Amino acid sequence: MLSNILKRIVQNAMLSAAPDARQAEMNLAEAEDLDFTGLAPDGRRPEERAAAVLTDMTLEEKLIFVTGYKSLGIHPLPRHGLPSVWMTDATSGPRSYGATTAFPSAVAMAATWDPALVAEAADHIAESTRAKGASILLGPGVNIARIPTCGRNFEYMGEDPFLAGTLASAYVKACTERGVICTVKHMAANNSEYDRHKISSDLDERTLREIYLPAFEATVKTGKTPGLMSAYNPVNGVWASENRKLLTVILREEWEFDGIVVSDWDSLYSTSGPLKSGLDIEMPRARWLTPERVKAAFVTGDAREADLDRMAGNLLRTLFSAGVYDRPVKDPEAREFHPDHEAAALKAARAGIVLLKNENSALPLPRGPGITIAVCGPLAVDSAVLGGGSCHIARTTGTINLLEGLKKVAGSAAGSAEGTKIVHVSSGNLGRDSQTIEDADAVIITCGFNYMNESELYDRPWRLPRSQRKLIHRISRLNSRCIVTISAGGGVETESWVENVPALIHGMYLGQTVGTATAEILFGIVNPSGKLPFTMARKWNDIPAVRGYPRRYWTTSPGRIAAGQGNPRFRKVRHWRYSEGLMVGYRHFDTADIEPAFPFGHGLSYTSFFIENMQLSADTIGPEDSLDVTVRVKNTGKRFGSEVVQIYVADIESRLPRPVKELKGFTKLKLEPGESVEAVIHLDKRAFRYWDPGAGESGGSGGWTAEPGEFRILAGRGSRNIEAEAIVTLGSPESTSQPGA
Ligand code: BGC
């Protein structure tokens, strides 16, 4: 576990990496003081307006424009009447300008499996962003949870590219509608925080295309994101900030992205590389792109003025398109600190809680006169709102911890809960409280991590802290009705203690309503409906990606963290091979037939559901066709609930090896007891394809291949809980009907 000194150093490092909120507030005040009105809309298209400004800009203006302003801004262009533009972190709320409503972490949003709900949360976050005067939101993150311990998994949307891409697209669209530019991050293959500046993610083309890029691709093609952020790490030896293949060939030429690429903070390592490769702005300030350095590169011919024009042009066009220059810095109509924001945060938090285990009906908890619920563990009072780093929200508009949440919810239960006693038991004094624990009707043990030990900059342990594991063992000996709650951004080890407890919930990080949302699930006011967006392994060594990962990586020293962030001239880049290839998360566990502790897509409810009667829109489709899958879903239990229908596609035979099944569609349904509905899930042509490195013109550089043959279409309520299936044949182009493009 990290020592206190390390934590202090890390916090200081975070303060310099993540901009100071007070400084940022001063920046905004300054921007408001400037007498800019912006350009009034005049009927010209954004690209025309951008071109006109660009033509008029001096070299000096362009040089300054492509580097950050006061840590979180884009420079004003006074001669052109254009004000400074402000950015803010990030996905759970605009944290950079003082207090804000803390929404659930991105991974908890992913656990909702509900694009509409994610869009609703993003809409409120974007409104607060505009109320604060920022126009660029530095999120959401879609790096794949390759290993459970990555310190930033909580900022990302789980292990599956389709799930992450779908939900992040919903998020981005909602922000765009509010005039907020998202920068989807960190492109690409930024899957560990350990020595994040010094480790090259080395992976083959197929793995890159099928696992690590599709979520970015979806946010570009479906979400139409106006922005992206490059990563710290090199990819196959080339720094992400100057990776022409990623930032130009794939992003702009193949995916036709026409927005901006913002660098991650202090992630440039040369001058000419980023200039030539597709980056548009160096953040947070000019370091490698200083006017002197850039001009020197022009002189040596390492870069051209046209590169600078392209960068400035991309910035201007994107800002004009979003309307940034046609409105006041702060949107006077946008609401901030509004109860609606908190209500939306609570709604998302409820839906993101995953009930992993519930034996002997341990949950929901009983309520009523004479009932006593004990609560203990480190997170009962210091309930974790979010993980640490640039996504952490230190000043919320009011956090409800679990103890308060339990008291509030127990007391609010319309008469029936009257008399329910909530007792806080100090973890340090179990001896004194052992009788209380024994006598309690149930004991809640709050476990997991917080913003100190799960954060940007370093990875966290896989096992819960020893003190927490001991607590579970001791309390479960005193009372058999123990409920463990976990706060973490991904999987944790459960094998050594899970048999001792009848119920377990994973809350990820739930934002400021953590206490209320968790209490409502525990007492059954709300029926749980979250589904794991990652696999929880039984054994560490069952996860192939951890091979080659440093032993005792979590004991990383302050020196190593500093060096991992430090001067690039002293960095010796190490190469880590993603040797597991496509076999990430459930793709690996299901293909290798290894039983996980809790599978991807798993999540229990207080009611029961059943999926049956799958119908396909066609038995045979062509390579360019899509397919509609219809299933009947029934709530077979006694209470209202929501269920996620997950559609996996399994290629029965293929020339290149494929994972045994892959998620390609899902939908979340609300069902009254006894109700049954038909759900239709649309699979597009990509659902059947894989990346063939040998495809492309004259055996060229690869491409998406639709290989004729049979595919199993599987409908389940989890990756290991398949309840209906059918077979579709993918024919060659001539031999098929064309049911819908
Ligand atoms: C993070 C980014 C973040 C930026 C600004 C960096 O340390 O990697 O994700 O947006 O800081 O705070």
Side-chain angles (χ1 to χ4, degrees), residues 128-295:
S128 299
T129 301
R130 289 295 302 119
K132 288 186 178 295
S135 291
I136 300 179
L137 187 70
L138 301 168
V142 294
N143 292 105
I144 295 299
R146 174 177 178 247
I147 47 170
T149 49
C150 167
R152 297 191 88 169
N153 277 346
F154 80 94
E155 292 188 56
Y156 304 144
M157 291 186 162
E159 73 183 27
D160 183 79
F162 180 79
L163 179 68
T166 307
L167 298 175
S169 295
Y171 188 106
V172 168
K173 276 187 186 167
C175 290
T176 303
E177 275 168 30
R178 285 246 177 215
V180 170
I181 295 169
C182 284
T183 65
V184 177
K185 65 194 188 184
H186 308 91
M187 182 151 165
N190 184 186
N191 310 101
S192 162
E193 286 297 290
Y194 184 89
D195 275 5
R196 65 182 180 180
H197 284 261
K198 302 210 299 191
I199 293 182
S200 173
S201 304
D202 289 358
L203 63 179
D204 62 77
E205 187 69 18
R206 185 171 172 211
T207 302
L208 181 69
R209 298 290 189 150
E210 290 191 30
I211 304 291
Y212 296 98
L213 288 186
F216 290 100
E217 185 177 359
T219 59
V220 170
K221 292 184 175 170
T222 311
K224 306 272 180 238
T225 185
L228 282 157
M229 186 187 288
S230 60
Y232 280 121
N233 51 289
V235 179
N236 291 329
V238 183
W239 299 104
S241 57
E242 54 184 81
N243 198 310
R244 201 183 123 70
K245 175 174 169 184
L246 288 179
L247 301 187
T248 296
V249 177
I250 295 179
L251 184 59
R252 296 197 188 267
E253 295 171 6
E254 283 184 29
W255 300 349
E256 300 179 349
F257 173 74
D258 69 349
I260 47 170
V261 180
V262 172
S263 82
D264 201 344
W265 268 230
D266 290 313
S267 72
L268 267 63
Y269 309 92
S270 78
T271 298
S272 58
L275 275 173
K276 290 191 301 195
S277 305
L279 195 84
D280 295 311
I281 184 165
E282 176 180 26
M283 295 303 296
R285 70 191 72 83
R287 195 162 154 192
W288 287 94
L289 301 190
T290 57
E292 302 70 40
R293 284 185 158 174
V294 175
K295 281 194 237 170

Side-chain angles (χ1 to χ4, degrees), residues 98-119:
T100 193
T101 309
F103 279 72
S105 59
V107 73
M109 291 195 205
T112 68
W113 290 60
D114 189 341
L117 198 56
V118 170

Side-chain angles (χ1 to χ4, degrees), residues 200 214 368 496 573 680:
S200 173
S496 65
V573 171
V680 182

Side-chain angles (χ1 to χ4, degrees), residues 445-526:
I445 313 172
T446 62
C447 295
F449 301 93
N450 62 20
Y451 75 98
M452 281 298 213
N453 43 32
E454 179 152 15
S455 168
E456 180 173 347
L457 288 175
Y458 41 83
D459 291 342
R460 66 143 165 90
W462 187 53
R463 311 187 84 179
L464 293 175
R466 189 196 300 272
S467 55
Q468 297 183 10
R469 283 179 276 137
K470 266 170 74 181
L471 192 66
I472 297 173
H473 282 293
R474 290 182 63 192
I475 291 192
S476 58
R477 278 203 292 268
L478 294 171
N479 190 319
S480 61
R481 199 162 177 179
C482 286
I483 291 100
V484 171
T485 65
I486 299 174
S487 296
V492 301
E493 186 272 347
T494 56
E495 191 72 353
S496 65
W497 50 264
V498 74
E499 286 306 320
N500 301 349
V501 299
L504 171 63
I505 68 174
H506 200 317
M508 330 260 151
Y509 290 104
L510 293 168
Q512 71 182 53
T513 66
V514 48
T516 314
T518 310
E520 287 179 349
I521 294 282
L522 290 169
F523 279 119
I525 315 271
V526 171

